[in-house]
Structure formats: structure tokens, C-alpha cells
Amino acid sequence: MKLTQIATASVLATLCAASFAQSNELNIYSARHYPTDEALYGNFTKATGIKINRVDADDAGIIARLKAEGASSRADVILLVDASRLWRGEIDGLFQPVKSRLLSDAIPEQLRAKTDSDGKTPWFGFSTRARVIVFNRVNVKPQDVDTYEELADPKNKGKLCIRSGSHPYNLSLFGAVMEHMGEKPTEQWLKGMVSNMARSPKGGDTDQIKGVASGECGIAVTNTYYLARLMRSEKPEDKAVMEKVGVVFPNQSSWGTHVNIAGGAVAKHAPNGTNAVKFLEYLASPLAQNHFADGNNEWPVARGVQISNPALQAMTGGNFKSETVPISVVGMNQVKVQQLLDRVGFK
Ligand code: FE
């Protein structure tokens, strides 16, 4: 063999090795902050032989990192835990729209981004969580907090605890409310909430639930999986918290309870794009969908998946009415909502 042939052969071998390595790996940037997800990733590797490398950060951190890395990013799949962040990622051009019959059949239209004329969708919801109201059983009656509107009612003055208005979970809730009520009434509503606060916004959702249990707050707003986690906990202190608080799924006789999503997308510059689509399709499978329900107390999005999570059953009595505003519209409203928050001094 001549020298040039040897060189060519070795370049080819290197290329083959490189493409082999690529085809067996998947780089996930994930904002899912749930330890029970390890099994979710493990099952995928077991089934496909594709090794997962994970970078964990919060939604904002992931978006910032993708922007900084640009075209040299190694990210294949992006997992975020809120509709407004997914919308932000789409607008900032960080995703690669996907055409997958399996995904568009499995996931209802309302729970994914708008599909373009080529049949490609920028991102998909894979699980849902409701944003509900908890109340102190001793000094608040459930009928005084069974709508989001009542969070701003003067009868609830000095009782409300809620995390920062600018947190994505609240931006999405307020964005949905704006869709139902219109901009001016939403501004009034936010203002009413500010004057009902028991304390300035601080902490996460679990801190608000604990504030209600301790009596510092009469009412709070939380995502359902934080509640379900406390309901399923064996710790005496968690049991004690849940004895003191009641749960309301708001607006059951009007537009329904606000539901947010956790979802995912393929990264714009994904080096392992085929594996990335495979992974998203796996997330829509009954196995993975059940994992969201059992592992992290979320509701599956895929059509026809049954769940048997006792905490979710206990919370809802089996079913509840959720709103029908497309989650992509909710994401889109966040810019306007942030302006309203600044205007009324909602921290
Ligand atoms: Fe969370």
C-alpha cells in the first residue's frame, strides 16, 4: 500500500469511528430537576444502546448556554419544564423543527408548538402539571378560593403567598389568564393579588405550601407535582403539612384549571439528530409516559395512556376540567405579562 493510500485508509477509519461514536450517543441539556428521571434515561439506553450524556441546568441557564455555544453546541435534545421557556427557545431559533408522524399522532395539538406548512413542529409537551390553589383548612373556606379571580378579591386580603411573578410557572399561568380575561382586567387582577399578599414573593412552590400549613399564609399557588410529592411522602413532617392544607382545582365551573407542560425539542445544531428524534419519540411511548405519572406525579400527554398514581387520583377524584388555551399562545403572552407585573409592582 502506498503512503497516500494508508493515509486515506486511516482518515476513513477515523471518520467511521467518529460516525459510529456519534450514532451511539445523545447529548441532553435538561431542566428537569427530578431525581426519579434517572430510570427514564436508563430505560432508553437499555432499549437502544444509545449512551446519554446529560447537562443539567435550569431553563434560563440552558437557553443562555445554547446561545453562547451557537453552532458549536453539542446539544441534541433540550428538555425544559415550562411552556413560556419552550416558546422562548423557539423564537430565539435554538430548535430544529421535527417531522415525526409518531409524535404528531401521540401528542394533542394543544400541547405542542404550532406545526408549520412542511409538517414540522419546533417543540412538544411530554407531560402536564396543573397550577392549583392550596388553602389553610382552619381559616380559609374552599369556596372562597375556587377561582383564580378570587386570589385578587379583597375578602382574601393578607392571605396570599406565591413565588415570584416572573417565574416561568407564574408567567404561564398569568399568560393563560390574560387569554381568558383580556389585558386590562388581568392588570387589575395582578394588582389585586399584590395587595392580598401575606408576604413579598419568595421561595419555590413547596415553600408556599409549607407557609400555608404553618399559618403564615392562608392561600398559595402551586404546581400539582409538589403537592403529590408531599402526599406520597413517608416523612412525618410532610404528612403534618398535608393534614393542614386543602387543595382546589380552580375555575371548574368556568374556563378550567391552568395546565402547563414540561417538554422537549431537538437542538438546532444537534450532532446526533436521528438519535434526538428517537429520544423524543421514546418520551411519547407508554413506558416513558407512565414514568412521568409514577415517578414525578405529572399527567401523561399521549393519547390513550392510563395512569394509576394514587396521589393524582386522590387530588382530583380522578378527573378535572383543564383550560383549552393552546400552550403556544400561553408562551407567547409572557412578554406582555412581564410588563404588567412591572407596572403593578408584582415582584
Ligand atoms: Fe418544578
Side-chain angles (χ1 to χ4, degrees), residues 67-80:
K67 283 183 187 168
E69 289 176 342
S72 62
S73 178
R74 304 291 301 160
D76 294 309
V77 164
I78 318 295
L79 298 179
L80 300 176

Side-chain angles (χ1 to χ4, degrees), residues 27-77:
N27 305 315
I28 300 180
Y29 286 16
S30 172
R32 289 187 58 85
H33 48 100
Y34 320 114
T36 50
D37 276 359
E38 293 307 325
L40 185 71
Y41 304 119
N43 285 336
F44 177 74
T45 301
K46 222 181 286 169
T48 60
I50 296 169
K51 178 176 171 264
I52 291 178
N53 310 307
R54 220 168 70 232
V55 171
D56 291 310
D58 64 8
D59 294 271
I62 286 175
I63 287 182
R65 180 165 173 164
L66 285 170
K67 283 183 187 168
E69 289 176 342
S72 62
S73 178
R74 304 291 301 160
D76 294 309
V77 164

